[in-house]
Amino acid sequence: VQLQASGGGLVQAGGSLRLSCVASGRTFSSYTMAWFRQAPGKEREFVAAISWHAGGTYYADSVSGRFTISRDNAKNTVYLQMNSLKPEDTAVYYCAASTSYSSNPRSMHYWGKGTLVTVSS
């Protein structure tokens, strides 16, 4: 599975962005998909995940209620809708795939290249 994330950019605090991650490969629908982020000088951290059938979604406490993860298996795409953005959300955002849910980046099987989100105050 190859993953390509897009949709990052510069936004003011309180604004919104939607990230997309397109996957290649025939087995996209069987993977749990996740978003992670990494701010400068910090470790990569879990943001959100969604099960293969979209029946289960998981969020980090820091984004719960502001971010929404979704997926369209017909389009091989996972989305991250980010609302009420804060300067502390500034980071490179990565999409990842795994065979089961995990918030540990070491458990991911595939990674996409990141997309930069910058939130100005």
Side-chain angles (χ1 to χ4, degrees):
V1 176
Q2 293 184 326
L3 306 174
Q4 179 64 53
S6 63
L10 174 63
V11 64
Q12 289 188 333
S16 298
L17 279 176
R18 188 175 81 156
L19 305 183
S20 299
C21 176
V22 180
S24 63
R26 300 178 181 178
T27 59
F28 168 79
S29 61
S30 65
Y31 285 92
T32 293
M33 300 299 297
W35 289 94
F36 289 79
R37 66 186 181 186
Q38 189 166 16
K42 295 187 177 181
E43 293 185 351
R44 193 167 297 189
E45 66 174 3
F46 171 77
V47 175
I50 186 166
S51 62
W52 69 271
H53 53 76
T57 55
Y58 313 88
Y59 296 94
D61 289 344
S62 58
V63 306
S64 183
R66 300 188 297 122
F67 291 10
T68 302
I69 190 170
S70 61
R71 67 189 296 164
D72 185 337
N73 288 338
K75 296 182 178 179
N76 280 9
T77 303
V78 61
Y79 305 97
L80 186 68
Q81 178 66 43
M82 305 185 296
N83 298 329
S84 303
L85 282 161
K86 304 175 181 180
E88 51 263 44
D89 294 318
T90 295
V92 177
Y93 284 71
Y94 299 88
C95 61
S98 62
T99 54
S100 61
Y101 166 67
S102 174
S103 61
N104 187 340
R106 298 178 181 178
S107 297
M108 299 298 110
H109 292 83
Y110 301 98
W111 289 94
K113 293 182 179 180
T115 184
L116 177 62
V117 172
T118 303
V119 184
S120 62
S121 58

